[in-house]
Amino acid sequence: SRWDQVLPAWGAWLTEDSPASIETYGPAGFHYVGIDCQHSLLAEVDATRLLWRFRDAPFAIMTRVSGNDHALIGKLLDAGSDGVIVPGVNNVAETNRVVDACRYPPHGQRSLGPIRPGLGTNPDVLEGRALSLVMIETREGLENVEAICRVPGLSSIYIGPGDLSHGLGMDPGKGFSTDQLKDAYARISAACKANRLVLGSHSIDANFPHQCVDWGCQFVTTGSNQMLLGRASRELFGELSAS
């Protein structure tokens, strides 16, 4: 509904097995929550339990899988993830592997076996309810982005600014705070628009997301539970020290 109104969707990130964090994100107003199984303390089985618990959440929940693995992607989709973000995708072959894991025959190789109550068993409905997202975060991925975006069945590109900066020989720390990736975002955005894909990006604060939107992003993740707790703790202790 946000995209239909040409409005960005703002998301928050989860790196620990913390239902309380998800319950905090929702009332705060976030449009989606991303559960991270790549750079976190979470495994996919932990994510499935969280997805099960929040199956009636009024916001979307997507999961970043730890790798381009058919079985892990299927497990998360069967548990009701509203999207699966696959890191480190560099070419068409790797993108086809993602799509194959997300789509049922004859368009893919996903096995029919939803485990979450209420999902039903209609393959078309199951396939259509979840986004398939691949991350562009390397020089090779950027060079192949036009071909990647033409893969049938792909839903979205998700940019990792830190890794993409590193892959292009830039300072990873400045990927979230400067315009050093402006040309890269422009190229990826153009490829997405040409193929009617949704573009998203990772971020770590409240400033860079607006820049991402200016560069063509339709959804941006704004910070993790660890980052937000650290920021709030520093602010609180600063107030205590000043009083």
Side-chain angles (χ1 to χ4, degrees):
S1 64
R2 296 279 296 181
W3 297 335
D4 289 342
Q5 300 173 65
V6 197
L7 295 172
W10 306 121
W13 206 241
L14 186 73
T15 59
E16 297 174 347
D17 190 356
S18 175
S21 293
I22 298 181
E23 290 174 339
T24 301
Y25 287 148
F30 286 103
H31 305 114
Y32 70 91
V33 173
I35 300 174
D36 192 359
C37 295
Q38 183 191 20
H39 296 301
S40 75
L41 303 177
L42 295 167
E44 280 74 12
V45 66
D46 303 311
T48 61
R49 286 195 289 265
L50 289 167
L51 289 165
W52 188 288
R53 174 166 178 168
F54 291 95
R55 59 185 179 272
D56 297 320
F59 46 85
I61 301 180
M62 299 191 289
T63 313
R64 179 162 69 177
V65 70
S66 57
N68 195 349
D69 184 287
H70 184 280
L72 295 179
I73 292 171
K75 185 183 292 290
L76 293 170
L77 292 174
D78 286 344
S81 186
D82 294 307
V84 177
I85 304 170
V86 181
V89 173
N90 298 303
N91 52 53
V92 169
E94 293 173 358
T95 306
N96 279 324
R97 188 174 175 185
V98 174
V99 174
D100 279 347
C102 293
R103 304 188 72 186
Y104 295 103
H107 304 294
Q109 301 296 322
R110 181 178 171 185
S111 177
L112 184 60
I115 60 172
R116 196 174 87 179
L119 287 179
T121 57
N122 185 315
D124 292 334
V125 173
L126 289 168
E127 187 177 303
R129 68 171 300 280
L131 299 174
S132 55
L133 308 94
V134 300
M135 293 194 71
I136 298 295
E137 47 190 349
T138 65
R139 181 180 295 275
E140 182 184 357
L142 180 61
E143 291 174 349
N144 292 322
V145 68
E146 288 83 9
I148 287 172
C149 286
R150 288 194 294 268
V151 171
L154 184 65
S155 306
S156 174
I157 299 293
Y158 189 72
I159 301 175
D163 280 323
L164 183 55
S165 293
H166 181 66
L168 296 176
M170 302 174 181
D171 184 344
K174 294 182 179 179
F176 297 94
S177 59
T178 71
D179 64 354
Q180 68 181 18
L181 290 174
K182 182 178 180 179
D183 291 343
Y185 273 75
R187 179 174 178 177
I188 298 170
S189 177
C192 286
K193 289 178 180 177
N195 295 277
R196 297 185 179 181
L197 302 185
V198 181
L199 178 59
S201 177
H202 210 66
S203 182
I204 57 175
D205 60 25
N207 298 315
F208 187 64
H210 294 287
Q211 187 164 278
C212 292
V213 172
D214 290 340
W215 291 346
C217 291
Q218 294 164 275
F219 66 102
V220 186
T221 307
T222 58
S224 71
N225 55 316
Q226 288 180 320
M227 290 179 182
L228 294 171
L229 177 60
R231 186 178 303 155
S233 298
R234 289 189 295 272
E235 290 177 357
L236 175 58
F237 189 77
E239 292 174 4
L240 291 171
S241 300
S243 61

